[in-house]
Amino acid sequence: MIKTSICTQCNKNCVMDIYINKENIDIIGNECDKGLSYIEKIDYENKKVFTTIVRIKGSKNHNVLPVKSSDVIDESLWIECSKALSRIYVGPPVKLGDIICKNILNTGTDILSCRTIERD
């Protein structure tokens, strides 16, 4: 079986090909060791990094802020995560990597800012 996945653990965004046999898994295309641990998590546990947006209040130039989970989250929880984050408003200034929501749905995973937004 062959799968293709894009690793989001570093800035390289490697496109990895995964060949799964009964005895072993071969991964081609990763440029660092973070890709190997990422593939192990998403293939066996059906988890991926969750990305979405949250609303910003008090900024003239931006209406939304892109965010992502600090670790992988089970795909069955994505709808509930979206519902929880739809109630959140963020006020500037926000820096890249700031925690927007800590321990979302008691998963142990934080929601992080993917962009810096200064005050107007």
Side-chain angles (χ1 to χ4, degrees):
M1 175 187 272
I2 300 173
K3 291 184 179 181
T4 301
S5 181
I6 298 174
C7 178
T8 59
Q9 297 303 301
C10 68
N11 292 336
K12 295 179 183 177
N13 292 330
C14 303
V15 177
M16 296 182 285
D17 295 324
I18 306 146
Y19 300 91
I20 302 173
N21 298 326
K22 292 182 180 179
E23 295 87 27
N24 60 1
I25 297 175
D26 294 326
I27 301 171
I28 299 172
N30 62 305
E31 294 184 23
C32 65
D33 291 335
K34 292 179 182 179
L36 298 175
S37 62
Y38 176 75
I39 291 300
E40 288 174 1
K41 287 180 184 179
I42 65 167
D43 279 345
Y44 295 115
E45 301 172 11
N46 199 25
K47 296 181 177 184
K48 293 184 181 176
V49 172
F50 175 68
T51 60
T52 188
I53 54 175
V54 294
R55 292 179 278 189
I56 296 178
K57 202 173 201 180
S59 175
K60 295 177 185 174
N61 299 326
H62 300 91
N63 295 327
V64 293
L65 172 71
V67 295
K68 72 174 188 172
S69 60
S70 61
D71 200 5
V72 292
I73 296 178
D74 194 311
E75 289 181 5
S76 64
L77 296 175
W78 285 13
I79 292 174
E80 292 302 315
C81 288
S82 295
K83 288 179 184 177
L85 292 173
S86 70
R87 294 181 228 126
I88 292 177
Y89 285 87
V90 178
V94 179
K95 292 184 181 178
L96 177 69
D98 280 355
I99 296 176
I100 303 301
C101 180
K102 191 163 185 75
N103 191 17
I104 190 162
L105 300 179
N106 294 322
T107 59
T109 302
D110 300 332
I111 302 297
L112 306 175
S113 166
C114 293
R115 187 175 187 182
T116 298
I117 297 178
E118 302 293 335
R119 282 197 182 135
D120 296 333

